[in-house]
Amino acid sequence: MEYQFLDSESNLLPFKVGSYLGTKKVFNLGAGFYHQKDGTRTSVNSQIEKHDIALFAIDAFADLLLGNAKNKMALSAYTGFYNYNFGPNYLRNLGIMNLAPMTPISSETKRLLVPETFNQ
């Protein structure tokens, strides 16, 4: 959800401009949330527990003219608060250097994932 209190910003693109260099007076407030029941799981001593995902964020953006309009100077400010809860002791690990699972992958899973490199 977003509220634009002064001049409106275009929503033609999937992102905002960032600064209008004093050509617009912009002050926006935004907020959003996301919830997924049983969205993550943990395994402690082979006991699997389900946990909800709960995300919440608010932000504010201002772009205001400083001085004379012909100088194209502006004060631009952005601030935000984000609260992400993916369950207890959640650690996100991804990318090309991902350590992969701590438990060995079964030969059946290997065969399904990469059949051309599977040695029987």
Side-chain angles (χ1 to χ4, degrees):
M1 175 183 333
E2 178 183 40
Y3 291 101
Q4 299 185 15
F5 292 100
L6 300 175
D7 292 342
S8 293
E9 289 192 274
S10 170
N11 62 0
L12 181 63
L13 299 172
F15 52 85
K16 304 293 186 192
V17 172
S19 179
Y20 294 93
L21 299 175
T23 60
K24 284 188 173 189
K25 287 173 30 177
V26 176
F27 178 65
N28 301 340
L29 294 177
F33 69 93
Y34 174 82
H35 181 267
Q36 176 66 48
K37 183 167 177 53
D38 300 334
T40 62
R41 289 166 173 58
T42 57
S43 177
V44 178
N45 297 327
S46 298
Q47 185 71 19
I48 295 177
E49 293 183 28
K50 299 176 184 178
H51 307 286
D52 293 353
I53 296 174
L55 313 178
F56 172 74
I58 57 174
D59 65 355
F61 172 70
D63 192 58
L64 305 170
L65 174 67
L66 285 179
N68 193 333
K70 69 177 180 151
N71 294 333
K72 293 189 176 183
M73 293 190 326
L75 171 67
S76 296
Y78 176 80
T79 187
F81 170 79
Y82 305 92
N83 185 334
Y84 292 171
N85 183 353
F86 291 93
N89 301 317
Y90 178 82
L91 176 64
R92 184 174 181 167
N93 186 11
L94 71 131
I96 60 172
M97 299 300 285
N98 195 345
L99 298 176
M102 298 300 286
T103 56
I105 297 175
S106 71
S107 59
E108 178 62 17
T109 302
K110 285 180 188 176
R111 185 184 67 75
L112 291 172
L113 291 175
V114 193
E116 65 274 5
T117 61
F118 182 73
N119 296 323
Q120 295 188 5

